[in-house]
Amino acid sequence: MTIGQLSSNYRLYAVLFFVIVSFILLKIYFSHFHSNILNFYKVTEAKTIYAITCQNQEELDHYLNVLPSVSTDVVFYCWEVICSVPPSNQDSNYFVFNEKELGLKLTWTTTRNFLFEKILEIEKKINFRYRYFVFVDGDTILNCPVLALYQGNDKDEGTKNYWKKYFTPSFQQLFFNSIKKENSIRGSAILPEETMCYLGFNAFLITVSPAIGVGVYNLPPENELPIQMMYHVDANVNAFHRDAVELLLPYFGKYDHLSWWISQAYLVYKSICVYGHVMQFNYVILLNTDHREYPKTMGPKELFALLDDEMKNGNIAQNYPSDLHDFHNFLGFSMFIMYLGMDMYSGYSTSALPLACKEFYNITAY
């Protein structure tokens, strides 16, 4: 073998060594928790994707324990500490962003907008369209005693009659099948109550199909009918129908320095377009474990007046057809409209939009 051949072989080995090392480093990089988008390349069975803002690892671990294993994909954003998904969950559709790693300092509003953008990116990468985007505050606990009671009582005639009276066959079928699948995956006959809540909430979204879906905030309703038409919803858990996303998101964050909740108030105003299609599932109760400090230097009247002026001056007219209604007056209405049975609502579609909204957003109903 000549010196030239040896030199050529050494170069070949060097190239192979470089390729192998590069492959290993890239694999490590893409498996890192804030860059693991490759996890989403596999075919997903989920119809809902949850976007959850967590303060710390403890909150994230809680959701890993209670969220459904298959029917739900999740994007986490940790803002106080660096969070990660344990190795046992690496094959699941979980995606973690860490504020400290990204070098960001986001508000409640801009965090939700960040997660919204990431969900859209995920949809493009996997060539998939979720039915619902569900935004959740990390300090929210779900409670659903009626749904949880089904476990172990499914053969009881009283239980069967209750479900037959208040829940549609399509809801029951999806909910019960989801329970069986989750039982099989977890290897347990009894699921955590919160898991039952999420399975029930997902079944509500898919079978009832509202434009915006929420649970009951803090206190159970005074009526056993399962759904309730709303207009004004709290922000801790909001599910947006994919066909309503372009009408309602992203959040409007111009006044975050004055108050973080004004972005939710403006979203409620924008929901004029989907009036009559904002539904509360009365069998899932949302409990806030902690009320954190946030900017709120202006009261509601001052903030509403400020937004009215902005719209009258045309400064935010490009974000919404501001001539539909006066912001201040609209936000003065009651939160609740009426209770409904599940079979009394036919679901949201773009064909239900008012003409002014269709024209403004250039939407062709389908």
PDB file of all heavy atoms in Angstrom, residues 51 226 228:
ATOM      1  N   ALA A  51     -52.016  23.307  25.518  1.00  0.00           N
ATOM      2  CA  ALA A  51     -50.901  24.240  25.692  1.00  0.00           C
ATOM      3  C   ALA A  51     -50.933  24.705  27.140  1.00  0.00           C
ATOM      4  O   ALA A  51     -51.834  25.456  27.536  1.00  0.00           O
ATOM      5  CB  ALA A  51     -51.043  25.416  24.736  1.00  0.00           C
ATOM      6  N   PRO A 226     -76.105  19.194  31.179  1.00  0.00           N
ATOM      7  CA  PRO A 226     -74.652  19.090  31.037  1.00  0.00           C
ATOM      8  C   PRO A 226     -73.941  20.279  30.410  1.00  0.00           C
ATOM      9  O   PRO A 226     -72.755  20.486  30.662  1.00  0.00           O
ATOM     10  CB  PRO A 226     -74.473  17.844  30.168  1.00  0.00           C
ATOM     11  CG  PRO A 226     -75.755  17.696  29.437  1.00  0.00           C
ATOM     12  CD  PRO A 226     -76.817  18.217  30.347  1.00  0.00           C
ATOM     13  N   GLN A 228     -73.945  24.566  29.074  1.00  0.00           N
ATOM     14  CA  GLN A 228     -74.508  25.882  29.354  1.00  0.00           C
ATOM     15  C   GLN A 228     -73.939  26.876  28.349  1.00  0.00           C
ATOM     16  O   GLN A 228     -72.722  26.971  28.164  1.00  0.00           O
ATOM     17  CB  GLN A 228     -74.137  26.305  30.772  1.00  0.00           C
ATOM     18  CG  GLN A 228     -74.833  27.545  31.274  1.00  0.00           C
ATOM     19  CD  GLN A 228     -74.651  27.706  32.771  1.00  0.00           C
ATOM     20  OE1 GLN A 228     -74.081  26.850  33.438  1.00  0.00           O
ATOM     21  NE2 GLN A 228     -75.115  28.807  33.319  1.00  0.00           N
TER      22      GLN A 228
END
